[in-house]
Amino acid sequence: MTQPPHDEPTAQSPEELREQVEQTRQELGETVEALAGKTDVKARASEKAAAVKEQATAKATVLSEQAKAKATEAAHLVQDKLPDPVKEKAATAADQARAKAEQAQRLWQDKAPEPVRDNRGALVAAGAALLIACVLLRRNKS
């Protein structure tokens, strides 16, 4: 039989011996678990993939913010270089479009029956699908 290590005291009673055996079992179980974790290639690959995904997401967020900032800067540069008559026409067109949209919204609220107003999202989707179908049918005919 093997001798106990020199740095650990030997058990003085059966109870101490049971405690030492239980502690040794627990330590051995933890060691085996750690070794099994190191040999589990699938789990380690999943952990690595998750870490890479997290890094890619963070990088994409940074790049997206940089792109938005540059786009805003470019828009300001273009706006600064536009002649005043063009700016005025664009502002007028935007105001007219906004007014027409508000007018269409009011007309919709006034004229549409209650069940139709309640299902507006479904109706818009159906209308879009119908429009796409018509375009595809015309394209196929020509």
Side-chain angles (χ1 to χ4, degrees):
M1 196 162 210
T2 61
Q3 293 184 350
H6 295 292
D7 59 347
E8 291 184 26
T10 57
Q12 298 296 323
S13 69
E15 186 60 35
E16 288 178 10
L17 182 60
R18 283 187 198 102
E19 287 177 17
Q20 286 179 358
V21 167
E22 185 57 37
Q23 182 178 357
T24 303
R25 281 184 184 153
Q26 187 174 3
E27 290 172 359
L28 182 61
E30 291 171 359
T31 303
V32 168
E33 223 175 275
L35 289 172
K38 288 184 178 183
T39 60
D40 188 358
V41 175
K42 187 176 180 180
R44 292 183 69 179
S46 293
E47 290 171 3
K48 182 68 174 175
V52 168
K53 181 180 177 184
E54 186 176 320
Q55 288 174 348
T57 302
K59 184 70 172 178
T61 301
V62 168
L63 291 175
S64 174
E65 289 172 1
Q66 288 175 350
K68 286 178 185 176
K70 287 184 180 184
T72 302
E73 182 181 330
H76 287 301
L77 281 172
V78 168
Q79 191 175 20
D80 290 345
K81 292 187 179 191
L82 281 177
D84 287 336
V86 174
K87 288 181 186 177
E88 290 169 6
K89 284 184 181 180
T92 302
D95 290 340
Q96 288 174 351
R98 219 174 280 115
K100 289 288 185 187
E102 290 172 3
Q103 183 182 9
Q105 177 69 24
R106 283 193 301 273
L107 184 63
W108 170 263
Q109 292 296 328
D110 293 342
K111 301 289 181 182
E114 187 69 31
V116 173
R117 277 185 273 160
D118 291 341
N119 297 318
R120 180 175 49 195
L123 288 173
V124 169
L130 183 61
L131 179 65
I132 291 170
C134 289
V135 169
L136 290 175
L137 287 174
R138 285 191 180 195
R139 185 179 291 171
N140 288 338
K141 286 182 182 179
S142 53

